[in-house]
Amino acid sequence: MYLAVVIAILITMLLALIRAIKGPTLYDRILAANIIGTKTVLIIATMGFLFGRPDFLDIALVYALINFIGVVAVLKYFEYGGFHFSGKPNAKKPEGKD
Amino acid sequence: MELLFTLLEWLCLLLGSIFLIIGGIGIHRFPDLFTRFHAASITDTLGAGFILLGLMIAAGMTLVTVKLLMILIFIFITSPSSTHALAKAAIHGGLKPKLDDQKDNQEKPS
């Protein structure tokens, strides 16, 4: 019965992959990548129960952390055009103060 | 009592799978990026929530349940914030939400 859950997660990942391939904008593709990352966490947890080895849950926890950091980093890159400090990187210092 | 827990576990796993497939179909049928967020969110909250709840019932009172609970809490915190960051980046990137243009046409009786 765990196999049915794994198959359902795989179907969802396939649908998200199709959306990532034919997505009209960039943000659709990032959304699909985010969905695939979350479903990977679920599939690792379920596969651990399917094989009788729930030790895989540590890997699932680490993958959830990496997925969140990766999505936020990619979004920051495309929103600000780089990884530089997002305040005012080119602002001049007020004169007279040093 | 054992049978009740088994039935509850399979019910949770089945509901989670159904919500996952509903969300997967939804990201193909919605017309816009900002409406596709709904379908993406339902796989992250209800689908992941029910599947992890079913696995928690299957594991019983062990360390595995604690790890599953940590994954669940982490997904519940990070999924809305990454969706919020995505919507903010899309708005700043110049993507406008699709509005209802049919309203003017419906006011005229044909």
Side-chain angles (χ1 to χ4, degrees), chain B residues 27-100:
Chain B
I27 60 173
H28 280 271
R29 288 185 58 92
F30 275 122
D32 193 11
L33 173 73
F34 294 97
T35 50
R36 279 178 202 133
F37 286 149
H38 297 291
S41 304
I42 211 172
T43 63
D44 282 346
T45 54
L46 277 175
F50 270 120
I51 283 181
L52 290 179
L53 188 67
L55 293 181
M56 265 187 249
I57 295 172
M61 296 294 287
T62 51
L63 185 62
V64 176
T65 305
V66 179
K67 288 177 188 172
L68 284 171
L69 196 63
M70 283 167 66
I71 294 177
L72 186 61
I73 290 172
F74 191 77
I75 285 180
F76 270 16
I77 292 173
T78 59
S79 167
S81 52
S82 67
T83 305
H84 174 81
L86 185 54
K88 183 165 151 285
I91 284 284
H92 285 177
L95 200 65
K96 290 280 183 292
K98 186 182 283 186
L99 298 178
D100 190 12

Side-chain angles (χ1 to χ4, degrees), chain A residues 13-81:
Chain A
M13 286 170 80
L14 185 68
L15 288 169
L17 185 65
I18 294 170
R19 172 52 73 194
I21 290 172
K22 74 173 196 181
T25 64
L26 170 78
Y27 303 103
D28 285 308
R29 297 193 167 106
I30 299 177
L31 179 69
N34 192 11
I35 292 173
I36 289 176
T38 314
K39 295 304 152 298
T40 308
V41 175
L42 283 183
I43 208 171
I44 289 171
T46 315
M47 289 284 261
F49 277 81
L50 178 64
F51 293 143
R53 294 173 61 191
D55 310 326
F56 286 173
L57 285 176
D58 300 329
I59 308 173
L61 195 53
V62 171
Y63 199 88
L65 292 161
I66 293 175
N67 181 36
F68 176 62
I69 299 296
V71 168
V72 172
V74 169
L75 285 174
K76 183 174 168 58
Y77 182 76
F78 281 114
E79 188 174 2
Y80 295 109

